[in-house]
Amino acid sequence: AEQHKSSTQKSISKSKNIIIKKLRIRMREARAAWRENKKDRTLKKKFKKAKLALEQAKGESKIKKASIKKLNEMTHEKSLGQLAADEEGGNSSMDICSGSSNQPPAAPEVVETKQDPEATTTTNDAKRKVFVSNLSFKVDEAAVRKLFSECGNVTEVTWLEEEKKGSKVFMGCAYVTFSTLEGASKAVQRGEVHHMKRDVRVEYSRDRTKMMSEVVEGATSCFVGNLPFDLDEKDLEAWAGGSAAGVKKIFLLKDRKTKKQKGCGFVEFHKTENLRSFVLKNGSLFKGRKIRLRPK
């Protein structure tokens, strides 16, 4: 009976967690939609409603857990009372009423925990590496090392390349690894650096190649979110690389009534490889805003 009761409680708790998870996703989606256009009152109301539903579900879950805990304590006390009544002679090794034992308590088991040095090293390696984009296609390793020499000692420069007609082609991006965390931090703090007639962007390394694999063959369009509201199509086209990067068309979404921009749009390219290169900019800063890209 106890096992059945425990199983039922776990099932209820699991169902509650699933509901809370769904409400949290719904709240995040509503918040993202509202942030895209904060002037839309309807979106704001939907976000508040979703947030309230999540908070209520969390509150009910806490009350439920507290009730279950209290019920378990009462059941446990009842079991101990029954055990005391069944005990004969009063010479039990456990004093049920006081909760104390006639035998010395067992020494607590000591579990030795060791820090994984390899995991620490891996984390530090990631923090020592920065992603550098919008490099000149004429740049070489010596020029990159010289560019970041003031930040610290550069231990490695890795070019980002793609297969094109049987050969590897430089994509204007590179990973630069420093010998110290301080060197990488100084490089990132510079943000943008003018080098070889280009505004080179520097930020901490992330797995950008993952999004490249999400671009299916034949795809040429990309959704661009979190754009500045005072942006025009020429600005976005220039940021995307213009005709040199294969940009075919720029489309900014606007409100039907007010004709004001919604802070998002689409960039269409001539070729799939142009789109794959473009998605590497996901998360990059543009006029102080972190841009979100989603290939279509």
Side-chain angles (χ1 to χ4, degrees), residues 21 102 142 236 259 279 294:
K21 188 176 180 181
N102 294 329
L236 181 55
K259 303 299 179 182
V279 296
R294 189 166 63 246

Side-chain angles (χ1 to χ4, degrees), residues 202-217:
V202 186
E203 53 193 308
Y204 280 113
S205 170
R206 295 193 300 274
D207 186 7
R208 296 167 181 275
T209 56
K210 183 179 179 181
M211 184 169 285
M212 290 181 67
S213 63
E214 296 176 0
V215 179
V216 297
E217 193 61 39

Side-chain angles (χ1 to χ4, degrees), residues 33 35 39 47 118 152 182 195 200 225 232 241 250 269 292:
R35 284 180 175 177
K39 293 182 180 180
F47 165 52
E118 185 176 347
E182 185 182 2
H195 183 252
V200 177
D232 58 32
I250 301 291
F269 295 89
R292 297 191 302 271

Side-chain angles (χ1 to χ4, degrees), residues 61-280:
S61 179
K62 288 180 181 178
I63 293 170
K64 186 70 176 178
K65 286 179 180 179
S67 300
I68 292 172
K69 185 179 179 182
K70 184 66 177 177
L71 181 62
N72 289 340
E73 287 175 354
M74 291 173 65
T75 305
H76 182 62
E77 289 174 2
K78 185 177 180 181
S79 299
L80 290 177
Q82 184 66 37
L83 183 61
D86 293 341
E87 197 70 32
E88 294 180 358
N91 294 324
S92 170
S93 61
M94 174 67 77
D95 185 346
I96 302 300
C97 298
S98 65
S100 62
S101 173
N102 294 329
Q103 297 180 357
E109 184 181 355
V110 179
V111 181
E112 185 179 356
T113 57
K114 296 181 179 179
Q115 187 175 8
D116 186 356
E118 185 176 347
T120 305
T121 304
T122 303
T123 303
N124 288 337
D125 286 345
K127 291 182 178 179
R128 289 188 293 107
K129 184 184 290 187
V130 299
F131 178 74
V132 186
S133 59
N134 203 34
L135 286 164
S136 169
F137 288 93
K138 296 180 181 179
V139 75
D140 57 19
E141 185 172 334
V144 172
R145 287 180 178 272
K146 184 179 180 181
L147 176 63
F148 295 104
S149 59
E150 295 179 1
C151 301
N153 180 42
V154 175
T155 59
E156 185 180 9
V157 177
T158 306
W159 305 117
L160 207 58
E161 301 173 323
E162 66 173 338
E163 291 286 342
K164 195 172 183 180
K165 295 181 180 180
S167 60
K168 291 185 177 181
V169 180
F170 176 51
M171 300 177 65
C173 310
Y175 290 107
V176 178
T177 307
F178 291 85
S179 59
T180 63
L181 298 175
E182 185 182 2
S185 177
K186 286 182 178 180
V188 172
Q189 286 175 8
R190 295 173 74 177
E192 284 191 355
V193 185
H194 193 71
H195 183 252
M196 297 180 71
K197 298 181 180 181
R198 282 176 174 255
D199 292 325
V200 177
R201 292 180 291 274
V202 186
E203 53 193 308
Y204 280 113
S205 170
R206 295 193 300 274
D207 186 7
R208 296 167 181 275
T209 56
K210 183 179 179 181
M211 184 169 285
M212 290 181 67
S213 63
E214 296 176 0
V215 179
V216 297
E217 193 61 39
T220 56
S221 181
C222 185
F223 171 81
V224 187
N226 201 35
L227 290 168
F229 290 98
D230 58 348
L231 191 74
D232 58 32
E233 294 180 351
K234 290 183 179 179
D235 290 334
L236 181 55
E237 183 178 1
W239 184 75
S243 57
V247 176
K248 181 180 179 181
K249 186 179 179 181
I250 301 291
F251 180 71
L252 294 174
L253 296 178
K254 297 181 180 180
D255 187 273
R256 290 182 180 180
K257 294 181 179 179
T258 63
K259 303 299 179 182
K260 293 182 178 180
Q261 293 184 30
K262 291 186 174 182
C264 56
F266 291 89
V267 179
E268 189 175 346
F269 295 89
H270 288 284
K271 299 178 181 178
T272 301
E273 51 261 38
N274 300 140
L275 175 58
R276 288 200 177 103
S277 300
F278 178 65
V279 296
L280 290 171

Side-chain angles (χ1 to χ4, degrees), residues 30-48 229 254-258 260-262:
R31 181 177 60 189
W34 173 61
R35 284 180 175 177
E36 292 287 352
N37 187 8
K38 288 191 174 182
K39 293 182 180 180
D40 192 325
R41 293 184 179 180
T42 304
L43 293 177
K44 186 176 182 179
K45 287 180 180 179
K46 286 183 179 180
F47 165 52
K48 286 187 174 181
F229 290 98
K254 297 181 180 180
D255 187 273
R256 290 182 180 180
K257 294 181 179 179
T258 63
K260 293 182 178 180
Q261 293 184 30
K262 291 186 174 182

